[in-house]
DNA sequence: TAATTATAGTTTTATTTGAAACTAAAATCT
DNA sequence: AGATTTTAGTTTCAAATAAAACTATAATTA
């Protein structure tokens, strides 16, 4: 394959047989999981966000808020931060814009004046009624070349990586 | 084949008998590949970029440029754009900053005054000499819970998705 | 109960980024 | 050859974002 890529150490640099100098390090980004994962995710995200954006004028943050609300009915901004792992400022802005467009509404908690319960409005549900099937259809097309087993394994492997990430992050 | 993947579109909600109100759409983001992939990639990228950033004051764009140069010795900015799929402005800035720090150097092509050949300086190689092993070690830890087969399958599946993405993108 | 600390959410500030405009050089066309 | 278009790379501009400061409430503690 990419056999000859390996070669070309620190070769022609002149200091010739210098012992102290470290061998030329090399990294094939295409074999490097973080890079591969990131660029794949990026491409997918961009392709999909074209749907959100062009057809519904929704950005990714807004889409995530809506999607979680479709799933959980009532949530606070804090919870959305946790679930989506988005920054609270980003969530705050998404919520604000969705409320302005009356796709969601907020009701202040009586027991704690700081928290606001978020829920979809009818308009929000209607929008999701169109958007979700489209998103699903797109995903289906994307994964249409995978077998059911491959798809399942992919999600499983991703879960494993997530758990390991959890461990690594808690260590530091 | 990809049987059960198909399902759960706008399926069970049956616009059936109820005429006026649309059935409540629902999406479980945790089962939605684009979301899962994106948040996993994001977390990995962030964790890893802490290494680049804290220990070497390198951002992700710069890291990618360096990594490709470790791999290919001499590249133009254009090529780096293609390989990394990064915006040319972003590449331009990364190159600029790396050159200022003398981690890479540029030599103008004699045959075409517009292009500049980029290559690592000795300092750049030295930095990579430390950074690459660390990045590799981190990746190894990350995937340490996967079997060799799982890891291979993951990369394969990702390649499939990339190819499909290519197809989908060329269609539109 | 008063003072301190923590929490939910917003706003401000600075940075990052992509898109578009731009520059200079090359390639193509007439 | 001169005019037009393309290309490589940079700079400018506007939008998105994260981090930090901030506001208002609630919880803790002394």
């Amino acid at each position: 394959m990419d056999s000859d890529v390996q070669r070309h150490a620190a070769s022609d640099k002149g200091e010739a047989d210098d012992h102290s100098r470290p061998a030329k390090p090399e990294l094939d980004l295409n074999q490097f999981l973080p890079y591969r994962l990131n660029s794949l995710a990026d491409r997918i995200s961009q392709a999909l966000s074209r749907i959100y954006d062009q057809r519904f004028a929704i950005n990714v943050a807004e889409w995530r808020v809506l999607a979680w609300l479709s799933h959980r009915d009532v949530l606070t901004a804090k919870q959305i931060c946790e679930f989506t792992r988005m920054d609270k400022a980003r969530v705050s802005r998404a919520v604000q814009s969705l409320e302005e467009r009356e796709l969601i509404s907020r009701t202040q908690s009586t027991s704690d004046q700081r928290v606001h319960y978020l829920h979809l409005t009818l308009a929000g549900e209607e929008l999701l009624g169109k958007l979700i099937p489209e998103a699903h259809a797109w995903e289906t097309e994307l994964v249409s070349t995978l077998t059911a087993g491959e798809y399942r394994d992919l999600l499983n492997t991703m879960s494993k990586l997530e758990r390991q990430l959890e461990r690594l992050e808690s260590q530091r």
Side-chain angles (χ1 to χ4, degrees), chain A:
Chain A
M1 295 227 154
D2 41 22
S3 49
D4 55 1
V5 175
Q6 303 291 46
R7 246 193 306 93
H8 73 26
S11 41
D12 53 335
K13 286 294 153 50
E15 316 181 25
D17 43 14
D18 184 343
H19 27 287
S20 64
R21 185 158 36 84
K24 186 178 170 226
E26 194 175 329
L27 180 72
D28 180 356
L29 279 178
N30 281 324
Q31 293 296 118
F32 188 55
L33 188 63
Y35 171 74
R36 281 287 297 278
L37 213 46
N38 214 300
S39 64
L40 176 62
D42 239 50
R43 284 173 75 181
I44 290 179
S45 185
Q46 264 180 275
L48 193 52
S49 72
R50 256 181 251 129
I51 298 181
Y52 311 149
D53 180 50
Q54 292 177 353
R55 310 219 337 101
F56 302 97
I58 289 280
N59 68 27
V60 174
E62 290 159 2
W63 155 247
R64 286 179 185 168
V65 171
L66 290 177
W68 272 103
L69 285 174
S70 85
H71 193 48
R72 290 283 304 260
D73 262 13
V74 175
L75 289 169
T76 66
K78 173 104 188 287
Q79 287 178 301
I80 291 180
C81 286
E82 284 159 9
F83 293 150
T84 62
R85 296 180 160 270
M86 290 194 294
D87 188 83
K88 63 184 180 171
R90 196 177 172 196
V91 170
S92 176
R93 288 184 199 107
V95 164
Q96 218 165 336
S97 124
L98 290 171
E99 197 190 14
E100 271 160 28
R101 293 176 60 186
E102 303 193 350
L103 296 172
I104 68 176
S105 61
R106 306 194 311 163
T107 56
Q108 201 167 31
S109 160
T110 49
S111 60
D112 184 339
Q113 304 288 109
R114 292 168 305 179
V115 332
H116 298 262
Y117 298 121
L118 307 174
H119 25 78
L120 293 173
T121 61
L122 205 62
E125 283 187 12
E126 269 163 26
L127 185 147
L128 282 179
K130 292 181 213 144
L131 180 39
I132 286 179
E134 285 194 37
H136 265 313
W138 190 86
E139 185 205 18
T140 298
E141 261 201 283
L142 175 66
V143 303
S144 64
T145 54
L146 305 185
T147 67
E150 281 172 331
Y151 181 74
R152 191 195 50 238
D153 291 347
L154 175 62
L155 289 178
N156 280 339
T157 299
M158 284 172 52
S159 295
K160 275 195 177 185
L161 290 175
E162 278 160 6
R163 283 194 297 276
Q164 177 67 355
L165 211 42
E166 210 77 62
R167 257 174 251 130
L168 292 180
E169 273 168 2
S170 67
Q171 271 178 28
R172 329 173 329 124

